[in-house]
Structure formats: C-alpha cells, structure tokens
Amino acid sequence: MAEIDRSAIEKRGIPAIELMENAGRAVAEETVRFLERDGSSRLRDMMITVCCGRGNNGGDGLVAARHLKRYGAEVQAFILPPKRDSNYNREVSANLKSANEAGVSVHEASEVTEELEVRTRSSHAVIDALLGTGASGKPAGLMRKMIQAINRSNKPVIAIDIPSGLHPDTGYRSGVVVEADLTCAIGLAKKGLLAAPAKKLVGELRVLDIGFPKDLLIP
Ligand SMILES: NC(=O)c1ccc[n+]([C@@H]2O[C@H](COP(=O)([O-])OP(=O)(O)OC[C@H]3O[C@@H](n4cnc5c(N)ncnc54)[C@H](OP(=O)(O)O)[C@@H]3O)[C@@H](O)[C@H]2O)c1
C-alpha cells in the first residue's frame, strides 16, 4: 500500500492532499450510509466524535470530520499532539486548519481527559482515525489509552483503513485493539483485515476508491 501511495504521488503526480480529501470524504459518505441504514435515524440529529492520530490516518479523520459537519452532524475531533520539536505533516496541518475553519471543534489531546470520555460515551458514533498502515508494534502511551476510551464508549465505531491496534498484514493483535462495527479500507483491503482472527474486530468491511490509478491496484 505504501508503494502504491508513493507511486501515485511521485510518479503519477496525484497530490497527497487530493488523496486525503478523497479518503476522508468517502469515509464520511460510508458513515452516513451506515448510521442511517435503519431508515429512521438522520445524521443531522447526531453527535460524532473523531479520534485522530498524528499521521495520515488522522488526516483522513480530520477530512471525514469536516464532511460530516457539512452533512449536518455535530462533530468534535481529538488529535494526538505532534512529537516534541516537530509538527504535523503538510497535509495533516492543512486539514487541521480546514476542519477548524469549517466549525469542527478540534482538541489537541495530550491525555485522555474527562471531556473525551464524556464526549465519546454521549456520541452516536465514534470514528477511529488513530492508526493505519503506519502502525508498528503494540499501541503505546496515549494511543493505547485512546483505543481503550473508544472501546469503553459502547457506541458504533467506524475505523479508517484498519481498526487501530490490528496488525495490517496478519490480522493479529499484540496489545489493545479497536473493536469496529464498520471498517473503511482505503484503496484495497489490507491482508490482515481478511484474516480469520480479525473478523470480529473489523465488523462490516467496505473498500473505498480514493482515486489510485487502477493499474497500480491490480498487479
Ligand atoms: N496520501 C494519502 O493521504 C493517503 C493515501 C492512502 C492512505 N492514507 C492513510 O494514511 C495511513 C497511513 O499513514 P501514515 O503512514 O502516516 O501512518 P499512520 O497509520 O497514520 O500512523 C503513523 C503514526 O502512528 C504512530 N504510531 C505507530 N505505531 C504506534 C504504536 N505502536 N503506538 C503509538 N503510536 C504509534 C506514529 O508515531 P511516531 O510518530 O511516534 O512514530 C505515527 O505518528 C493509511 O492507513 C491511510 O489511512 C493516506
């Protein structure tokens, strides 16, 4: 997936910000479909919490948050702060600004606060944009605590690309893991999502077209 992403951006000239926009918008559309599937619930009456990591998975989450706000939901996002002496990458920074400008209330979370706990429990759904294909090893530190808070919410969880904590290649977990009801895989379903141990953690699986050239996806 990393190679497909790199080729799309560097060899085919598709801007990374465009891929992130396509990913987040498609996640928002799937979220609406999923939450309104019973025919009586409406997104505009809902409160959604988006939990974002500091990488591109979190960037996808910020874009999804902005589109869900545009569809009429009340949306709040929490994002892990950048590492000390560094900043978010260009696409994440741009989408942080756009989300704020669109009226999404975005909080930088340096700990799991009472506010985050209350908010996730009182939301209609929570979006897991913490860890995607850039995950390595057991979720540690604040990442681990945020995963636990998402699971404690007892609300429908929509995971972007991979339920955080699930190994993208094997489908096994080595520590805490998000238990998703819907997983929106970006571009292709990662191998781990299809493995037997992942079935209960992935929930419904949808594969989203975010504009990768078709010949890169089919070897
Ligand atoms: N071009 C695009 O915009 C595009 C295209 C396709 C997909 N995507 C999305 O981007 C995702 C990949 O983005 P990415 O490569 O930036 O990686 P990521 O999945 O967003 O994760 C990277 C972040 O996770 C942290 N991390 C990794 N393992 C951890 C652990 N065990 N415990 C705590 N923190 C951990 C890293 O922390 P450190 O900084 O401390 O290392 C890093 O900040 C995909 O899954 C997909 O959602 C974006």
Side-chain angles (χ1 to χ4, degrees), residues 1-2 4-6 8-9 14-21 23 53-61 80-83 86 89 91-92 95 129-144 147 160-162 165 174 184-187 190 210 212:
M1 248 355 266
I4 290 170
D5 197 35
R6 197 183 60 76
I9 295 166
I14 304 175
I17 193 86
E18 187 178 313
L19 293 172
M20 191 174 278
E21 183 66 25
R54 58 172 74 100
N56 288 323
N57 196 253
D60 293 350
L80 268 70
K83 280 211 263 196
S86 68
N89 71 30
E91 290 75 27
V92 174
N95 279 307
L130 291 171
L131 284 172
T133 52
S136 66
K138 271 189 200 181
L142 185 54
M143 190 67 86
R144 177 171 162 273
I147 290 173
I160 303 185
D161 213 16
I162 295 158
S174 53
C184 299
I186 306 296
K190 280 78 223 169
I210 68 158
F212 287 128

Side-chain angles (χ1 to χ4, degrees), residues 45-114:
D45 304 320
M46 294 187 194
M47 210 158 81
I48 315 268
T49 299
V50 186
C51 295
C52 303
R54 58 172 74 100
N56 288 323
N57 196 253
D60 293 350
L62 291 171
V63 176
R66 170 161 46 83
H67 284 282
L68 288 167
K69 172 88 187 167
R70 184 170 60 81
Y71 291 143
E74 192 198 320
V75 189
Q76 196 154 15
F78 294 87
I79 184 165
L80 268 70
K83 280 211 263 196
R84 199 187 304 177
D85 297 329
S86 68
N87 209 337
Y88 298 117
N89 71 30
R90 199 168 32 178
E91 290 75 27
V92 174
S93 297
N95 279 307
L96 187 54
K97 186 165 176 279
S98 302
N100 275 311
E101 285 169 358
V104 175
S105 122
V106 188
H107 306 267
E108 210 171 90
S110 46
E111 57 180 315
V112 171
T113 57
E114 181 73 19

